[in-house]
């Protein structure tokens, strides 16, 4: 009769459970994405997923908003507007570099490449520093500073902030 099911010893097995490796019969088998699972393993998977869903719902319903201090200078008004209206923004941007700080550094200390060091572009910072005796880094720094200051937070972050990402709320 071959190998028997670990629950129904009188029935022959049709395969093994991917979760626990035990032999299962047709009655005990649950096929998910072409893989066989026993009822016990399916129950465990379902309870794990249910607890994950509950944790996500709890975090979603959390009434304590997160405040990011280095949010590019424009985070205060949008945060208070969102919290006062009761609506939650989707895809809230998270910034690690401030475009205003980079712009001011580029305008004031662009000749020595301070803005490049701030943005993590060490190679360019060293090049600016090496050519600081010429006026080229100063002129380029002023131009870059103006570009930084007049760009939006997201376009600046997409180009110059390596740690920028959009978080789904």
């Amino acid at each position: 009769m071959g190998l028997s099911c670990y629950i129904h010893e009188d029935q022959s097995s049709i395969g093994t459970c991917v979760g626990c490796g035990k032999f299962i019969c047709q009655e005990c088998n649950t096929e998910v994405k072409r893989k066989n699972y026993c009822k016990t393993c399916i129950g465990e998977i379902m309870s794990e997923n249910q607890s994950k869903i509950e944790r996500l719902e709890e975090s979603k319903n959390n009434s304590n908003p997160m405040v990011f201090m280095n949010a590019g200078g424009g985070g205060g008004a949008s945060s208070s507007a969102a919290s006062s209206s009761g609506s939650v923004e989707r895809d809230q941007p998270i910034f690690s570099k401030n475009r205003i700080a980079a712009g001011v550094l580029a305008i004031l200390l662009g000749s020595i490449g301070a803005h490049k060091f701030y943005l993590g572009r060490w190679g360019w910072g060293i090049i600016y520093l090496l050519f600081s005796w010429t006026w080229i880094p100063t002129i380029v720094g002023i131009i870059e500073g103006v570009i930084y200051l007049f760009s939006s937070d997201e376009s600046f972050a997409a180009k110059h902030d390596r740690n920028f990402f959009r978080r789904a709320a």
Side-chain angles (χ1 to χ4, degrees):
M1 182 163 140
L3 299 171
S4 60
C5 176
Y6 82 101
I7 294 176
H8 305 104
E9 294 179 5
D10 59 332
Q11 295 185 19
S12 62
S13 67
I14 61 162
T16 58
C17 173
V18 174
C20 63
K22 296 179 181 175
F23 293 105
I24 51 178
C25 65
Q26 182 65 37
E27 185 178 337
C28 295
N29 182 41
T30 303
E31 188 175 328
V32 178
K33 294 185 180 179
R34 294 182 168 181
K35 295 180 181 178
N36 297 326
Y37 293 91
C38 66
K39 305 283 184 200
T40 307
C41 290
I42 287 292
E44 290 173 3
I45 292 171
M46 294 300 287
S47 64
E48 286 176 19
N49 286 338
Q50 184 62 33
S51 65
K52 287 179 184 177
I53 291 170
E54 289 170 359
R55 283 194 305 262
L56 285 172
E57 288 176 350
E58 287 175 11
S59 67
K60 182 179 175 184
N61 294 331
N62 187 3
S63 61
N64 298 329
M66 295 180 87
V67 177
F68 295 97
M69 298 306 289
N70 191 13
S78 63
S79 298
S80 62
S83 62
S84 65
S85 66
S87 65
V88 178
E89 291 183 30
R90 311 275 294 153
D91 297 332
Q92 297 173 349
I94 308 299
F95 304 102
S96 68
K97 301 294 181 190
N98 187 329
R99 72 175 173 84
I100 296 173
V104 171
L105 283 172
I107 292 171
L108 298 179
L109 300 172
S111 61
I112 60 171
H115 62 295
K116 295 297 184 180
F117 289 112
Y118 172 73
L119 295 174
R121 312 278 190 214
W122 291 87
W124 280 109
I126 291 171
I127 290 173
Y128 275 57
L129 198 56
L130 290 175
F131 287 95
S132 62
W133 59 274
T134 68
W135 286 94
I136 296 171
T138 305
I139 295 168
V140 174
I142 291 171
I143 293 170
E144 286 178 329
V146 170
I147 290 171
Y148 294 165
L149 292 175
F150 284 102
S151 64
S152 69
D153 287 333
E154 289 192 16
S155 66
F156 170 80
K159 292 178 188 172
H160 304 288
D161 190 352
R162 292 181 178 174
N163 296 323
F164 170 72
F165 66 94
R166 296 185 66 78
R167 181 187 61 153

